[in-house]
Amino acid sequence: MRSGMAVSSVAHAVVLGWGLLTFAPNPLEAPLTEAMPVDLVPLDEITRTRQGSLKAPKPEEIKPAAEKVEQPKQQPEVEKKAEKKPEIKPAAPPQPSEEMKKEAKKEEPKSDPIKDLIVKDDALEQAKDTKKTPPKKEQPKVAEKPKAPPVKQRNFNPDQIAALLDKREPQRQQSSAEQVSRSQSLGVSSGNSPRLTQSEIDALRAQIQACWNPPVGAENAQELVVRVRIQFRTDGSLSAEPTLINRGSSPYFQVAAESAMRAVRRCAPYTLPAAKYEVWKDVEVTFDPRDMFRGG
Amino acid sequence: MNPEVVTPALDISLWGLFWQAHLVVKAVMIGLMAASIWVWAIVIDKTILFARTKRQMDKFEQVFWSGQSLEELYRNLSTRPNNSMAALFVAAMREWKRTYESGARSLQGLTQRIDKVMDVTISREVERLESKLLVLATVGSAGPFIGLFGTVWGIMTSFQSIAASKNTSLAVVAPGIAEALFATAIGLVAAIPATIFYNKFISQVNRTASRMEGFADEFSAILSRQVDEKM
């Protein structure tokens, strides 16, 4: 019995030691493919903001931002320079001929807008600083000044460039249409492949949405966002069963996931631009029932 | 999805599976491991015993049927009957000689007495061969259940932890179930050889017993013929 016990113990120790050394799990390796995310949510929000920004009265919103940026202290100096220099200049250069004067008079309107802008800004500043003095009093001065400027325009004075420069800070505007589309980062990270345009993504989205019956009456719709990975063949049919990417703890999640998968299967094959097959070969689609309920 | 539920880097090696298991599961694993060691010790022991018994019985039968005088054979073996069949022979011969040496008048009950003595010897020898086989039977039948108990316990605790973390992803469920199933694996590792060797040894015990009974019948016939001749 002793010998049997010893042999048995040694044999077990050997087997266990061998097991400890060799029993290593091999992780299942899934092929690394880049999936393109497509959010299956109504386009309403994006388009609404875009239209809204176009219709919105821009100047009123922008002007306050510009006035705040400007520094009031520097303005008086600029004004003085602008006023003083025209007085000095006529003395220094030789008297211009009458023809030139006539031309200068014709050019008056051209030179005026910039000047006016500066003066108007100044006027506004002054109006703000001292509300007692009405801007109308300044207007005559502006009218008087142009008599000097023609001469100044004739002989181009580099010193005056500073005065002519638009001193207003670049204004921060609300995001316009270009910026909205820019924020939609589409395509794969490798970057050298063509991208699906927004309308093409919309087309795919519309095709899937037509077959999608979102789970009705489920509570906590925010937990029912289903992300599905779809792989296509070149003819737009599915090359593999759609796979779920995320999981949810909600009891209704399975229902939502099933409905999403059913939608993807039912609508195959899809019509997508064949030239960009590399892009939509592997697509990630997000099914968000919240947006459907909200009236998409 | 709970991104804040950080699952620690899980060790999925054999040692890691054991070390992360619940205390009950650990106890089950250790117990089953000990049972496995014990089973194999018995298996080795019994294999050697049965091989030796068979060899000695063959040798004895060869000697017995060689025409050697029974008296002489008895004189050789009486001091130390080294195997089952020799023990049988010695017990019967002792009874025979005792009856004759006491000078008993009646030989009527001698055959019955010899049969009785040989039966007792056979049952004693079978008992010796059968000893500890019950351990194999027990481990063989109870091992999977014990392992299953460890598994059920492990899965129970892992489901509890799932309920606590509210995360149903496979990565959370898998390690607990893997370590739980490890208990059943050890149970089966212990139980399968136990069952196989139990059946093998029981059949060997039965064969040995029937062989001894056959010899006892033959020897009893020889002795009763002798008794009849003496009468």
Side-chain angles (χ1 to χ4, degrees):
Chain A
M1 200 65 213
R2 285 282 155 75
S3 62
M5 197 72 184
V7 170
S8 170
S9 303
V10 170
H12 275 81
V14 168
V15 169
L16 268 185
W18 176 76
L20 285 178
L21 289 179
T22 57
F23 184 80
N26 296 322
L28 298 171
E29 282 181 13
L32 274 175
T33 50
E34 193 97 30
M36 189 188 69
V38 176
D39 286 0
L40 196 69
V41 292
L43 201 56
D44 284 0
E45 285 183 30
I46 298 164
T47 48
R48 264 183 210 148
T49 51
R50 213 184 272 177
Q51 286 167 349
S53 67
L54 282 174
K55 285 175 185 172
K58 276 180 191 172
E60 290 162 13
E61 287 177 14
I62 294 162
K63 263 189 178 176
E67 281 179 356
K68 279 176 190 172
V69 169
E70 279 177 342
Q71 291 178 352
K73 286 178 183 175
Q74 290 179 352
Q75 289 309 316
E77 293 175 11
V78 177
E79 193 188 352
K80 282 173 186 173
K81 280 180 185 173
E83 285 175 3
K84 281 177 182 174
K85 274 164 187 171
E87 292 171 7
I88 299 165
K89 252 99 217 188
Q95 290 280 331
S97 63
E98 288 182 0
E99 289 177 4
M100 291 181 103
K101 274 190 177 177
K102 283 175 185 173
E103 279 181 15
K105 278 178 183 175
K106 284 176 187 174
E107 282 176 12
E108 270 181 16
K110 282 181 187 173
S111 65
D112 271 344
I114 303 168
K115 257 275 175 178
D116 280 346
L117 260 178
I118 297 166
V119 175
K120 268 182 186 175
D121 274 350
D122 296 344
L124 277 170
E125 285 289 320
Q126 286 177 357
K128 267 200 167 184
D129 291 344
T130 58
K131 284 179 182 176
K132 292 166 189 172
T133 56
K136 279 183 180 178
K137 283 185 178 177
E138 305 261 339
Q139 289 298 340
K141 283 181 185 174
V142 177
E144 285 172 16
K145 276 172 193 169
K147 286 172 184 173
V151 186
K152 177 193 72 188
Q153 282 287 327
R154 259 311 92 196
N155 42 4
F156 166 74
N157 191 348
D159 291 342
Q160 205 137 25
I161 291 174
L164 293 174
L165 283 177
D166 191 356
K167 288 258 170 46
R168 289 174 298 180
E169 290 273 315
Q171 294 146 351
R172 285 163 201 160
Q173 298 177 1
Q174 299 251 325
S175 63
S176 63
E178 278 178 50
Q179 283 169 318
V180 168
S181 62
R182 192 185 60 199
S183 69
Q184 295 273 342
S185 59
L186 299 170
V188 294
S189 60
S190 47
N192 53 5
S193 56
R195 293 178 170 194
L196 281 186
T197 61
Q198 186 64 46
S199 62
E200 283 158 352
I201 292 171
D202 285 345
L204 172 61
R205 181 186 291 139
Q207 288 177 52
I208 298 175
Q209 210 160 21
C211 301
W212 186 31
N213 296 322
V216 180
E219 51 192 23
N220 293 335
Q222 72 273 8
E223 290 179 9
L224 301 182
V225 175
V226 183
R227 286 168 64 221
V228 179
R229 180 178 167 191
I230 313 172
Q231 288 161 288
F232 294 104
R233 290 203 198 88
T234 42
D235 59 350
S237 59
L238 303 179
S239 70
E241 283 290 295
T243 49
L244 266 184
I245 294 173
N246 64 336
R247 308 257 161 206
S249 55
S250 165
Y252 297 104
F253 181 80
Q254 204 58 39
V255 181
E258 278 301 315
S259 80
M261 307 276 250
R262 224 178 303 123
V264 172
R265 278 194 289 263
R266 262 173 62 192
C267 283
Y270 298 88
T271 49
L272 289 160
K276 296 178 178 178
Y277 172 67
E278 278 302 313
V279 180
W280 51 264
K281 183 171 70 177
D282 198 341
V283 173
E284 243 180 70
V285 179
T286 306
F287 291 79
D288 195 340
R290 280 176 295 174
D291 298 299
M292 291 298 282
F293 292 147
R294 229 181 276 150
Chain B
M1 293 288 112
N2 285 348
E4 62 267 17
V5 176
V6 178
T7 49
L10 283 163
D11 186 7
I12 328 179
S13 70
L14 217 54
W15 179 251
L17 282 183
F18 171 75
W19 200 242
Q20 287 152 16
H22 189 262
L23 194 66
V24 173
V25 183
K26 259 185 215 163
V28 165
M29 285 178 186
I30 291 170
L32 286 172
M33 214 64 225
S36 177
I37 291 172
W38 183 235
V39 160
W40 277 98
I42 292 169
V43 165
I44 292 164
D45 195 48
K46 287 289 165 188
T47 309
I48 293 166
L49 176 69
F50 282 123
R52 198 175 58 213
T53 306
K54 186 170 181 290
R55 207 169 51 242
Q56 284 169 344
M57 280 165 78
D58 288 346
K59 205 171 157 190
F60 175 82
E61 278 197 320
Q62 205 182 349
V63 171
F64 183 81
W65 296 113
S66 65
Q68 198 180 5
S69 158
L70 294 182
E71 296 287 337
E72 199 182 326
L73 193 61
Y74 174 69
R75 238 177 287 125
N76 287 342
L77 294 173
S78 61
T79 48
R80 43 170 197 86
N82 61 350
N83 64 68
S84 335
M85 223 171 244
L88 196 63
F89 170 75
V90 166
M93 280 302 283
R94 190 180 293 131
E95 188 58 38
W96 167 270
K97 287 184 87 70
R98 204 176 286 160
T99 310
Y100 269 89
E101 282 164 5
S102 64
R105 279 270 167 242
S106 167
L107 296 173
Q108 287 296 324
L110 180 60
T111 321
Q112 283 178 12
R113 280 204 298 281
I114 286 170
D115 284 348
K116 279 246 166 64
V117 166
M118 286 203 291
D119 279 349
V120 167
T121 314
I122 286 171
S123 68
R124 197 180 297 137
E125 287 300 317
V126 167
E127 196 182 325
R128 190 172 67 87
L129 291 174
E130 265 186 345
S131 71
K132 286 172 193 148
L133 286 188
L134 206 65
V135 174
L136 296 191
T138 309
V139 171
S141 58
F145 288 121
I146 298 170
L148 198 61
F149 167 69
T151 296
V152 168
W153 193 279
I155 287 179
M156 206 172 76
T157 51
S158 77
F159 270 119
Q160 277 174 342
S161 59
I162 291 164
S165 67
K166 286 175 182 162
N167 193 345
T168 54
S169 78
L170 200 59
V172 173
V173 185
I177 291 178
E179 75 183 31
L181 288 176
F182 190 45
T184 298
I186 296 180
L188 291 177
V189 162
I192 290 169
T195 309
I196 290 172
F197 282 103
Y198 175 73
N199 291 334
K200 181 173 179 282
F201 290 149
I202 282 294
S203 76
Q204 273 185 337
V205 166
N206 287 338
R207 214 181 306 138
T208 311
S210 66
R211 194 172 166 185
M212 280 165 71
E213 270 165 16
F215 174 78
D217 285 350
E218 276 178 318
F219 192 50
S220 168
I222 291 167
L223 288 180
S224 72
R225 194 163 61 241
Q226 296 263 326
V227 168
D228 287 349
E229 281 171 8
K230 298 246 166 152
M231 276 174 76

